[in-house]
Amino acid sequence: MHDDKTAHLALPLPHPGNALDVDCLRLRYALATLDSKVAALMSALSADDESLSNVQEIIKALKAAREDIAALDSLIDSKVAALTAELQGEISHLRPLIYAGL
């Protein structure tokens, strides 16, 4: 039996090499699991919980700031690359002095 799983929820996936009676049970389990996950999400979205509201606001703010976060990430990458190049230049410059002292 092939035991392939989905990437995120690790739900069982059918496989052409599996017997139909095996995959039928695997699909039944996957659908029941998805049903419970969707029910939990729907319950969370309809809840009037202050802490949940705060989390939803944070998620909205992060989504709105997605471009800014990407720009900062890119800036950090370029700064790290520049510092790495600068350090490599310094090491190359100091290497002859270090070897001369040995």
Side-chain angles (χ1 to χ4, degrees):
M1 177 188 84
H2 296 273
D3 192 24
D4 297 340
K5 306 266 187 195
T6 61
H8 302 288
L9 296 176
L11 298 172
L13 289 170
H15 189 276
N18 289 346
L20 185 57
D21 59 334
V22 171
D23 270 350
C24 181
L25 293 175
R26 292 164 53 79
L27 286 171
R28 184 177 174 88
Y29 169 78
L31 289 171
T33 302
L34 284 173
D35 184 64
S36 66
K37 297 284 185 189
V38 169
L41 283 173
M42 290 173 68
S43 174
L45 290 174
S46 65
D48 196 21
D49 184 1
E50 185 61 33
S51 64
L52 183 59
S53 262
N54 293 340
V55 171
Q56 288 173 335
E57 289 302 315
I58 291 169
I59 290 171
K60 285 180 188 175
L62 287 173
K63 285 181 178 180
R66 198 176 288 171
E67 288 179 14
D68 293 337
I69 292 169
L72 286 172
D73 190 39
S74 178
L75 179 63
I76 290 169
D77 286 345
S78 65
K79 293 289 185 183
V80 168
L83 287 171
T84 301
E86 186 178 331
L87 285 173
Q88 286 174 343
E90 290 296 321
I91 290 170
S92 295
H93 174 70
L94 293 174
R95 189 171 285 135
L97 298 172
I98 293 169
Y99 288 136
L102 294 178

